[in-house]
Amino acid sequence: MQEQGKASEFHDISKNIFYPIYPVIAAQMLETRKGKEEGTCLDIGSGPGYVGLAIAKQTKMQVCLYDMSKEALEIAKKNIKEALLEDRVYVKLGNSEKITFPDKSFDLVSSRGSLFFWQDKVKAINEILRVLKPGGTAYIGGGFGNRELKRMVDEKMLAIDQKWLTNAEERRSSKEDYECLMKKTKVNGFTIKDDDSGLWIVFKKILLNKEEPNEPISGIY
């Protein structure tokens, strides 16, 4: 019941306060795909599914909303139905540290706001690399899209939680934290985006060479 209450509370905040940020963040994630409309997307830590749904609305991609909370995914199912996207968006229960999909399954792996909660971040990043297709991109971290949207969210959240900014600052990682994390993973090339859009890790999976098609590495693009 406690988990259900948290999932419902987060959904209410997402729907009533955060909602304008999701299309903006989705568009920023999709810029890495250079206009490709089709493909597969895994949205890790999807919660009620607003980032993944925004990606589906802006593309023709098949999108999996992936979360370890059954209650959050039940809410996500309702949101999928309301968005009339049942033909392209689905949910799956699972953990970021052991992603329940085969190697080379996704063209895009997205995640907003869940990295902080991953217990073994190195293992989770390596799992993301594993399930990415060659040429696929990962875009994970946190942010509000732009400065104006962050200001709007801060104002609304402060009205219901006076400790909003203090708690957010305590949870916030730094660019150096992300660089340190990524150097411990199997990812050999990455970009840390630290600007008005938020703080994000971006990397692309490429093949080492034609002679070693089963040994993927990531690279800066």
Side-chain angles (χ1 to χ4, degrees), residues 30 32-33 40-42 55 61 106-110 132 137:
L30 292 169
T32 64
R33 292 194 27 91
T40 52
C41 172
L42 178 67
I55 289 171
M61 298 185 80
F106 295 96
D107 298 286
L108 173 66
V109 175
S110 60
L132 273 177
T137 303

Side-chain angles (χ1 to χ4, degrees), residues 33 150-151 163-164:
R33 292 194 27 91
K150 184 180 187 306
R151 186 181 300 115
K163 295 183 178 180
W164 163 251

Side-chain angles (χ1 to χ4, degrees), residues 16-126:
N16 297 312
I17 296 178
F18 284 29
Y19 196 79
I21 77 174
Y22 300 120
V24 176
I25 291 172
Q28 291 165 349
M29 291 175 170
L30 292 169
E31 285 178 7
T32 64
R33 292 194 27 91
K34 299 180 180 178
K36 295 178 182 177
E37 282 286 305
E38 299 185 359
T40 52
C41 172
L42 178 67
D43 186 41
I44 296 179
S46 63
Y50 288 119
V51 171
L53 285 168
I55 289 171
K57 289 174 182 177
Q58 294 179 36
T59 66
K60 297 178 182 178
M61 298 185 80
Q62 298 286 328
V63 179
C64 175
L65 306 180
Y66 189 81
D67 203 286
M68 62 186 300
S69 167
K70 292 180 181 179
E71 289 73 17
L73 292 181
E74 286 301 315
I75 295 171
K77 287 179 184 178
K78 295 177 182 178
N79 289 336
I80 293 169
K81 188 173 183 179
E82 288 178 7
L84 304 177
L85 285 168
E86 292 170 290
D87 59 329
R88 289 195 293 114
V89 184
Y90 62 100
V91 306
K92 190 170 181 67
L93 185 70
N95 191 298
S96 61
E97 296 160 24
K98 191 176 181 180
I99 299 175
T100 52
F101 284 98
D103 297 358
K104 305 175 186 177
S105 294
F106 295 96
D107 298 286
L108 173 66
V109 175
S110 60
S111 181
R112 181 208 173 269
S114 69
L115 176 61
F116 173 80
F117 298 100
W118 299 351
Q119 291 187 352
D120 191 332
K121 295 178 177 60
V122 172
K123 189 173 182 180
I125 297 291
N126 288 336

